[in-house]
């Protein structure tokens, strides 16, 4: 059901993106980007509203207190895996009735169930349907599918198209890699609970909204390369502040929220620069399919970045579980600092792909006007996107469906199913992803 719901979202999103590009093409060149940033700003407002609902609905004992039981007639569970997650003080004080009490991680006394949350989203969708019915468009004769696909392939072979796609994939592979041990560390080092995490997400969306509007007002015609360079370096500056937490100089959950939100605010520059060029590349008549292909190719590598992030844990065995991180030994801190430094190095390597990004709208239109084409690179970007998507999907499915069997494998980000398990395959996959990303900017 969720897959079908996601399919419906993608269907609607592609159509709206195509219409957004259609309108953007009718903006004056010096103002182009205003509609695009406005659309993304409204999208962020919607995400803020949904996350406020999550904040209020999912900060109760049902979501935050392991083993919580609202019905006193049902005995507390004896599942050892759940009991291990229960607050030791709560369990010690009430060994037979601990499950009926609200733990410290819960902020409210009420909870919103998943079905209730889904129904609330349905109400929002139903309320928006009249707005869609007011949209009017002229009916046109649809082209034969094969003829349309042939024309689309001719669009994809253009250097302006495949170069932008390559930039999106390469920069997202490297800049999307993160420290997978950070989330469990936040819970044991900072006592970051669900309520604070939800507030952090809301702040992220809000400051992303602010950043989009600042770019729309002051930076529509600033070089995209300069925006990406400035945004990337500032993100790294805020990410480097996590070393203060690693070495226990100052461990405070609100300090972490400040650094994370600030880093995302700076990422607004990267996001908008990489998306603004897509409007210039899309040709009239192919707005929706061109824009959706570029965003799909870019988004296809996001799961790969997540997979690589977890594969890096294979080389830092002390960071593979929350209990080990909680020991907070000098060895744990050393491995954590090494992983954080490695992730930052991989992130900064994304700047090597900057030559693939046009400087601004004028340069992009000049590239389109030249009409250079390459069947090889057009095929390469399509096959690469499909390969990355298939690999990430398979790894995600295996680790979720068969976590107890294969989740410990180093190649999947585990600590190893045996003491002598080799890290060669995990290292090989990491090198393949990284070297592929670094090789393309030389074209």
């Amino acid at each position: 059901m969720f897959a079908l719901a996601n399919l419906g979202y993608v269907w609607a999103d592609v159509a709206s993106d195509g219409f957004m590009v259609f309108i953007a093409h009718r903006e004056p060149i010096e103002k182009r980007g205003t509609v695009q940033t406005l659309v993304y700003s409204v999208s962020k407002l919607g995400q803020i509203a949904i996350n406020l609902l999550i904040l209020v609905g999912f900060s109760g004992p049902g979501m935050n207190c392991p083993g919580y039981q609202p019905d006193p007639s049902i005995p507390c569970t004896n599942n050892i895996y759940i009991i291990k997650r229960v607050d030791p003080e709560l369990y010690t004080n009430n060994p037979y009735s601990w499950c009926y009490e609200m733990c410290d991680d819960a902020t409210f006394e009420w909870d919103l169930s998943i079905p209730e949350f889904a129904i609330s989203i349905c109400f929002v969708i139903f309320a928006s349907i009249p707005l869609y019915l007011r949209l009017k468009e002229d009916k046109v004769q649809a082209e034969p599918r094969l003829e349309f696909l042939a024309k689309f392939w001719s669009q994809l072979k253009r250097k302006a198209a495949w170069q932008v796609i390559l930039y999106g994939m390469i920069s997202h592979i490297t800049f999307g890699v993160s420290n997978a041990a950070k989330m469990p560390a936040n819970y044991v080092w900072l006592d970051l609970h669900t309520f604070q995490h939800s507030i952090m997400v809301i702040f992220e969306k809000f400051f992303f909204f602010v950043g989009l509007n600042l770019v729309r007002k002051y930076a529509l015609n600033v070089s995209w390369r300069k925006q990406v360079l400035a945004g990337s370096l500032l993100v790294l500056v805020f990410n480097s502040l996590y070393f203060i937490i690693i070495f226990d100089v100052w461990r405070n959950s609100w300090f972490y929220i400040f650094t994370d939100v600030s880093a995302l605010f700076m990422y607004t520059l990267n996001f908008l620069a990489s998306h603004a060029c897509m409007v210039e590349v899309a040709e009239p008549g192919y707005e929706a399919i061109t824009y959706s292909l570029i965003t799909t190719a870019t988004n296809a590598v996001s799961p790969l970045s997540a997979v690589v992030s977890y594969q890096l844990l294979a080389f830092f065995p002390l960071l593979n579980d929350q209990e080990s991180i909680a020991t907070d030994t000098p060895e744990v801190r050393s491995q954590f600092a090494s992983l954080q430094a490695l992730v930052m190095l991989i992130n900064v390597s994304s700047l090597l792909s900057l030559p693939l990004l046009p400087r601004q709208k004028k340069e992009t239109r000049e590239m389109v006007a030249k009409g250079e084409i390459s069947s090889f690179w057009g095929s390469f970007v399509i096959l690469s996107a499909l390969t990355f998507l298939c690999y990430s999907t398979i790894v995600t499915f295996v680790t979720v469906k068969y976590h107890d069997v294969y989740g410990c494998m180093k190649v999947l980000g585990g600590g190893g199913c045996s003491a002598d398990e080799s890290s060669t395959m995990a290292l090989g996959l990491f090198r393949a992803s990284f070297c592929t990303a670094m090789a393309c900017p030389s074209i």
Side-chain angles (χ1 to χ4, degrees):
M1 292 298 293
F2 281 114
L4 292 176
N6 190 59
L7 178 63
Y9 161 75
V10 172
W11 195 344
D13 186 59
V14 169
S16 60
D17 280 344
F19 185 69
M20 181 268 293
V21 177
F22 175 81
I23 297 297
H25 281 169
R26 283 149 182 78
E27 292 181 288
I29 190 68
E30 66 276 3
K31 295 290 185 180
R32 189 170 296 171
T34 302
V35 169
Q36 190 177 20
T37 52
L38 178 62
V39 167
Y40 285 125
S41 297
V42 174
S43 173
K44 292 302 171 185
L45 286 178
Q47 293 175 26
I48 290 173
I50 290 297
N51 278 280
L52 284 171
L53 178 61
I54 293 174
L55 173 68
V56 175
F58 296 135
S59 295
M63 293 296 296
N64 299 278
C65 302
Y68 177 76
Q69 180 52 255
D71 188 353
S73 64
I74 300 177
C76 296
T77 181
N78 293 321
N79 189 316
I80 188 65
Y81 296 104
I82 294 179
I83 293 177
K84 281 183 178 180
R85 297 166 52 207
V86 176
D87 183 358
E89 184 178 351
L90 179 65
Y91 184 79
T92 303
N93 294 337
N94 306 280
Y96 301 106
S97 60
W98 58 268
C99 63
Y100 310 120
E101 298 187 21
M102 190 172 75
C103 63
D104 292 337
D105 289 337
T107 304
F108 304 120
E109 296 181 356
W110 63 83
D111 282 295
L112 191 68
S113 67
I114 298 298
E116 290 171 339
F117 178 67
I119 290 174
S120 64
I121 294 178
C122 289
F123 277 122
V124 175
I125 296 173
F126 279 123
S128 65
I129 289 178
L131 300 177
Y132 294 116
L133 295 178
R134 291 181 59 86
L135 293 176
K136 295 181 180 180
E137 58 179 332
D138 298 328
K139 291 185 178 181
V140 296
Q141 185 67 34
E143 293 185 67
R145 293 180 181 178
L146 292 179
E147 182 178 340
F148 178 81
L149 290 175
K151 290 182 179 180
F152 173 65
W153 170 240
S154 66
Q155 295 289 318
L156 183 60
K157 291 189 295 184
R158 296 176 303 146
K159 183 179 180 180
W162 58 253
Q163 183 169 312
V164 169
I165 295 175
L166 271 180
Y167 168 76
M169 290 196 299
I170 295 170
S171 61
H172 278 71
I173 288 175
T174 49
F175 203 80
V177 174
S178 61
N179 188 338
K182 187 180 288 186
M183 186 57 69
N186 290 337
Y187 285 103
V188 296
W189 288 348
L190 308 177
D191 193 27
L192 185 74
H193 47 75
T194 305
F195 183 78
Q196 289 176 310
H197 185 269
S198 298
I199 289 179
M200 181 179 72
V201 172
I202 292 171
F203 280 158
E204 288 176 349
K205 304 299 183 185
F206 173 74
F207 282 103
F208 203 101
F209 168 81
V210 172
L212 286 171
N213 284 277
L214 289 175
V215 171
R216 180 176 63 185
K217 189 171 184 179
Y218 301 108
L220 282 181
N221 297 302
V222 175
S223 169
W224 293 330
R225 293 184 184 179
K226 291 180 179 179
Q227 289 185 44
V228 171
L229 178 62
S232 299
L233 294 179
L234 288 171
V235 167
L236 290 173
V237 169
F238 284 103
N239 283 341
S240 66
L241 296 177
Y242 200 79
F243 286 103
I244 296 175
I245 296 174
I246 294 173
F247 293 106
D248 199 14
V249 178
W250 187 27
R251 288 183 176 174
N252 182 279
S253 56
W254 295 108
F255 171 70
Y256 166 70
I257 291 174
F258 162 75
T259 60
D260 186 82
V261 170
S262 300
L264 191 77
F265 175 72
M266 299 306 171
Y267 177 70
T268 308
L269 298 174
N270 299 43
F271 173 84
L272 196 57
S274 61
H275 281 68
C277 58
M278 300 179 190
V279 173
E280 306 302 325
V281 169
E283 289 292 321
Y286 301 90
E287 295 94 344
I289 193 169
T290 302
Y291 197 91
S292 62
L293 175 64
I294 297 176
T295 53
T296 299
T298 301
N299 293 333
V301 302
S302 296
L304 178 64
S305 298
V307 169
V308 171
S309 300
Y310 280 96
Q311 286 175 342
L312 289 176
L313 293 179
F315 310 106
F316 303 93
L318 295 179
L319 308 181
N320 273 288
D321 57 78
Q322 190 165 299
E323 290 75 14
S324 177
I325 296 174
T327 61
D328 199 18
T329 62
E331 292 77 14
V332 169
R333 294 184 183 184
S334 176
Q335 287 198 13
F336 209 114
S338 299
L339 177 58
Q340 181 71 8
L342 177 60
V343 168
M344 291 175 61
L345 179 62
I346 295 172
N347 292 159
V348 77
S349 69
S350 66
L351 296 177
L352 296 176
S353 63
L354 268 184
L356 293 173
L357 179 67
R359 290 179 176 83
Q360 249 292 336
K361 290 168 280 191
K362 181 181 178 182
E363 183 174 320
T364 310
R365 298 310 302 169
E366 290 174 352
M367 189 185 304
V368 172
K370 287 181 180 179
E372 299 180 43
I373 62 173
S374 172
S375 298
F376 170 79
W377 285 109
S379 303
F380 178 82
V381 295
I382 291 294
L383 292 176
S384 297
L386 290 175
T387 301
F388 291 149
L389 185 61
C390 291
Y391 171 71
S392 304
T393 302
I394 292 172
V395 171
T396 303
F397 175 79
V398 169
T399 53
V400 173
K401 180 70 174 178
Y402 304 103
H403 176 76
D404 294 338
V405 181
Y406 302 109
C408 58
M409 296 178 63
K410 289 186 177 181
V411 71
L412 300 179
C417 297
S418 61
D420 58 347
E421 182 177 338
S422 174
S423 301
T424 303
M425 188 175 293
L427 183 60
L429 287 171
F430 170 71
R431 284 178 174 174
S433 302
F434 186 74
C435 292
T436 300
M438 293 301 99
C440 292
S442 60
I443 60 175

